[in-house]
């Protein structure tokens, strides 16, 4: 059974960068069938998709956050990571990594069928 | 951005009730819609994809319908395990979620 596990600092200072890693076990992120994504959840914005990546390196970013986001993968470690720069208190949230199913013949990423347990990140000095 | 709006925000119901939650998209999304269930302290769990396809392992009391801009998640007979928050998510153009509908005890 494939599992995803987020890791990263629980506390980040304002203006610094947040880095999170998702380790995938029981399956390969090099699969041609899935994208791999990050979603966060906060009381003020609810569930918010951030970014996703395909084994080929193809990426999508939330346009409202694109200037601050980077997603990348390390297939040798079966991990993918997210970096969010210049954080503020508004970036305080639970961050989830998830597997995203391709939903049509064009290979477009669709719904999220498996999620990690989430990791709380607090931005505070 | 495609905005997703759920109604009601909170739904109070009893075990055995038939429950329906509505999700409206700000533009047509065909049937590219998923539904999730979330319990406190847990990640969302996929219930329905492509508006009406039941995810493997999800009880058949859950069903989804709709197309275009209006969608419905129905629970035919509410069970104690179903008290939770439900979210819709579109994947027609990027990926956005509704604000959630909390189903609580009447």
């Amino acid at each position: 059974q494939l599992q995803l596990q987020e890791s990263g600092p629980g506390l980040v200072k304002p203006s610094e960068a947040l880095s999170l890693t998702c380790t995938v076990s029981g399956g390969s992120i090099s699969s041609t069938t899935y994208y791999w994504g990050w979603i966060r959840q906060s009381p003020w914005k609810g569930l918010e998709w951030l970014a996703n990546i395909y084994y080929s390196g193809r990426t999508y970013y939330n346009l409202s956050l694109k200037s601050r986001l980077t997603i990348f993968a390390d297939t040798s470690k079966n991990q993918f990571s997210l970096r969010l720069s210049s954080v503020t208190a508004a970036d305080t949230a639970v961050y989830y990594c998830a597997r995203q199913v391709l939903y049509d013949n064009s290979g477009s990423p669709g719904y999220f069928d498996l999620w990690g347990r989430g990791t709380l990140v607090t931005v505070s000095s | 951005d495609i905005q997703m709006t759920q109604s009601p925000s909170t739904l109070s119901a009893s075990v055995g009730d038939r429950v329906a939650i509505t999700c409206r998209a700000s533009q047509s999304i065909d049937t590219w819609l998923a539904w999730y269930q979330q319990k406190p302290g847990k990640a969302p769990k996929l219930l329905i994809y492509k508006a009406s396809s039941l995810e493997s392992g999800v009880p058949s009391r859950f069903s989804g319908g709709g197309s275009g801009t209006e969608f419905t998640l129905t629970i035919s007979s509410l069970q104690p395990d179903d008290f939770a928050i439900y979210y819709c998510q579109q994947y027609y153009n990027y990926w956005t979620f509704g604000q959630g509908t909390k189903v609580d005890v009447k």
Side-chain angles (χ1 to χ4, degrees):
Chain A
Q1 174 72 359
L2 186 137
Q3 292 186 323
L4 303 96
Q5 177 67 58
E6 305 88 350
S7 59
L11 182 64
V12 182
K13 290 182 167 54
S15 80
E16 294 187 346
L18 160 66
S19 291
L20 295 169
T21 294
C22 183
T23 300
V24 177
S25 57
S28 172
I29 67 168
S30 298
S31 168
T32 59
T33 315
Y34 304 103
Y35 270 70
W36 305 90
W38 288 96
I39 302 112
R40 69 182 180 182
Q41 186 173 31
S42 63
W44 41 90
K45 294 213 78 172
L47 287 164
E48 182 180 28
W49 164 77
L50 299 175
N52 53 24
I53 189 167
Y54 195 45
Y55 82 100
S56 63
R58 176 77 167 94
T59 58
Y60 292 90
Y61 290 100
N62 185 313
L63 296 178
S64 66
L65 296 165
K66 186 175 182 178
S67 62
R68 297 198 290 134
L69 281 171
T70 306
I71 188 171
F72 55 96
D74 184 339
T75 55
S76 68
K77 294 182 179 178
N78 218 31
Q79 296 174 332
F80 62 102
S81 300
L82 184 78
R83 183 178 187 273
L84 178 64
S85 64
S86 306
V87 298
T88 70
D91 296 309
T92 294
V94 175
Y95 285 75
Y96 295 100
C97 59
R99 188 175 76 173
Q100 195 171 11
V101 179
L102 301 185
Y103 73 92
D104 65 12
N105 292 333
S106 70
S108 301
Y111 51 91
F112 301 94
D113 70 332
L114 287 174
W115 298 59
R117 297 177 70 174
T119 186
L120 174 62
V121 177
T122 301
V123 178
S124 175
S125 55
Chain B
D1 282 15
I2 298 178
Q3 309 301 319
M4 306 302 291
T5 304
Q6 292 181 229
S7 60
S9 297
T10 305
L11 192 160
S12 297
S14 301
V15 172
D17 283 355
R18 182 180 181 87
V19 164
I21 298 168
T22 297
C23 177
R24 288 186 175 87
S26 60
Q27 67 182 74
S28 177
I29 58 170
D30 196 347
T31 55
W32 304 121
L33 184 102
W35 288 97
Y36 301 85
Q37 176 194 66
Q38 188 177 32
K39 296 182 179 179
K42 302 290 188 180
K45 172 190 172 185
L46 177 67
L47 300 175
I48 301 277
Y49 61 94
K50 203 163 186 282
S52 61
S53 295
L54 195 67
E55 173 70 347
S56 176
V58 173
S60 59
R61 63 181 179 273
F62 291 93
S63 64
S67 65
T69 61
E70 188 156 333
F71 302 85
T72 304
L73 173 70
T74 302
I75 309 173
S76 60
S77 178
L78 195 68
Q79 298 302 300
D81 192 49
D82 300 338
F83 292 101
I85 301 175
Y86 293 85
Y87 296 93
C88 60
Q89 176 235 326
Q90 67 81 19
Y91 48 101
Y92 178 81
N93 185 5
Y94 284 78
W95 304 273
T96 50
F97 294 85
Q99 82 281 13
T101 294
K102 183 178 182 180
V103 177
D104 64 14
V105 179
K106 190 173 184 178

